[in-house]
Amino acid sequence: MNKTLYCLLMIIVANLAISEDLGIIGKTYPIGEQNLMDYIKSRATTLVNNGQWENLRKKAVRDTENKIDHPPVIAGIYPTVESSVRYYDPAVRINQDIINPYDKSIIARKGQIVNPTMYMSFNNELIFIDGRDKNQVEYALAESKRSPFQSSIVLIAANNFRDLLRQEQHLFFYDQGAALTKKFNIRHVPTIIYQDQVKPTKLRIEEVKL
């Protein structure tokens, strides 16, 4: 038990033990309010018996399925009208010393700029598409097959997301909270991101016109 809570309880018990019985001041009345737990149980029983509980359950399932099948569209992203290429620098400035927990050696110092591509390869290709566009879906599936990298198809919008998974027998991801599209400043789809050999310390961002 929390020490503060224990001490408080001990003070209350002690006060009760030494309190003087002051008798009854004024008229007393019995407690008329229903016990909260009894009310909850009674309410739940009523909902089950009249069928409302099942209706609420079905509505919750429908709402959840609808959110999965029709996730919120990420605003401000349009079909690619002209193919283009730009590069993203993944280097970051360290805001505190990074210390090896085993030998206490300093891996990177505060203020140092570190580029992760200099230590490990980015062996993944991100393919951003609008899942509502059949042509973009077909392009992404074809690109994932011919790519030398492990591919991840990222949706910025979708209709009947579960049907898409079943029909294509492929794993799709949705950009929750627009985290990736904001990070890479995605404005058009399809867009593919991967590490090439032209600028190996950066990530190539390629907008593809279909």
Side-chain angles (χ1 to χ4, degrees):
M1 181 182 291
N2 183 281
K3 291 183 178 180
T4 302
L5 178 58
Y6 178 79
C7 292
L8 181 60
L9 288 175
M10 295 302 345
I11 292 172
I12 294 174
V13 171
N15 285 339
L16 289 175
I18 63 174
S19 294
E20 179 183 357
D21 185 358
L22 300 178
I24 299 174
I25 302 176
K27 187 176 181 181
T28 62
Y29 299 89
I31 298 175
E33 294 182 0
Q34 183 180 6
N35 180 277
L36 179 60
M37 291 305 299
D38 290 341
Y39 171 78
I40 293 174
K41 290 178 182 178
S42 174
R43 180 60 177 161
T45 300
T46 300
L47 291 174
V48 170
N49 291 338
N50 64 19
Q52 289 186 52
W53 186 271
E54 180 64 14
N55 292 336
L56 291 172
R57 186 192 69 80
K58 290 180 178 179
K59 183 179 184 303
V61 170
R62 286 195 305 270
D63 291 344
T64 301
E65 290 177 342
N66 186 61
K67 289 181 179 179
I68 293 173
D69 286 335
H70 307 282
V73 178
I74 297 177
I77 301 179
Y78 307 96
T80 302
V81 294
E82 183 178 354
S83 296
S84 64
V85 173
R86 57 188 171 88
Y87 285 87
Y88 172 82
D89 186 354
V92 295
R93 185 181 296 276
I94 306 300
N95 59 14
Q96 63 181 23
D97 290 347
I98 299 178
I99 301 174
N100 188 321
Y102 299 102
D103 60 13
K104 305 304 180 183
S105 62
I106 296 179
I107 299 175
R109 295 187 179 278
K110 179 180 178 180
Q112 182 179 344
I113 297 177
V114 176
N115 190 328
T117 61
M118 298 180 67
Y119 302 94
M120 60 183 294
S121 298
F122 184 71
N123 295 317
N124 191 279
E125 179 181 39
L126 302 178
I127 307 172
F128 292 84
I129 63 167
D130 186 333
R132 301 169 299 180
D133 186 331
K134 185 177 180 180
N135 291 333
Q136 292 193 35
V137 172
E138 292 176 350
Y139 164 77
L141 293 170
E143 173 64 21
S144 67
K145 289 180 180 178
R146 64 174 170 259
S147 173
F149 306 103
Q150 178 180 346
S151 298
S152 299
I153 301 177
V154 183
L155 307 180
I156 58 99
N159 277 338
N160 299 316
F161 182 74
R162 290 176 300 159
D163 287 346
L164 181 63
L165 295 177
R166 285 192 291 264
Q167 292 170 8
E168 304 301 344
Q169 295 294 302
H170 195 285
L171 187 61
F172 293 82
F173 300 91
Y174 182 74
D175 189 15
Q176 294 283 353
L180 292 174
T181 49
K182 288 179 180 178
K183 181 178 183 64
F184 295 113
N185 194 29
I186 303 297
R187 289 291 174 262
H188 301 94
V189 287
T191 286
I192 57 177
I193 300 177
Y194 59 96
Q195 184 179 13
D196 69 7
Q197 297 305 312
V198 177
K199 296 182 179 181
T201 60
K202 300 183 187 305
L203 299 179
R204 178 186 175 101
I205 300 179
E206 183 176 345
E207 295 184 353
V208 181
K209 181 181 183 302
L210 299 182

